[in-house]
Amino acid sequence: MTFYEKLDQAITDNNSLLCVWFDPDVSKIPWWATGIYDFCVWIADQTHDLVCAYKPQIAHFAAVA
């Protein structure tokens, strides 16, 4: 299955065109998250049935790595 087929399936399954952009502000990560990864995974877990895609901002993650 191609990327576009997977995207089309996610759009259909979730009835959504919403894409979540991961570009977290480190100073605003909740106390319970042990880091950026945990926070982004938590967001994905909470929204997986509401969105069609996720877009990590690679430059942001490369800068904080």
Side-chain angles (χ1 to χ4, degrees), residues 23-45:
D23 191 3
D25 181 343
V26 176
S27 68
K28 295 181 181 176
I29 292 178
W31 62 269
W32 51 262
T34 58
I36 293 172
Y37 176 80
D38 286 344
F39 185 55
C40 291
V41 168
W42 179 81
I43 292 170
D45 287 345

Side-chain angles (χ1 to χ4, degrees), residues 13-33:
D13 289 348
N14 295 341
N15 192 31
S16 175
L17 295 174
L18 182 64
C19 176
V20 172
W21 190 292
F22 288 123
D23 191 3
D25 181 343
V26 176
S27 68
K28 295 181 181 176
I29 292 178
W31 62 269
W32 51 262

Side-chain angles (χ1 to χ4, degrees), residues 35-63:
I36 293 172
Y37 176 80
D38 286 344
F39 185 55
C40 291
V41 168
W42 179 81
I43 292 170
D45 287 345
Q46 301 301 310
T47 61
H48 68 88
D49 58 339
L50 303 172
V51 304
C52 66
Y54 296 93
K55 167 51 172 100
Q57 172 56 310
I58 298 302
H60 171 76
F61 287 97

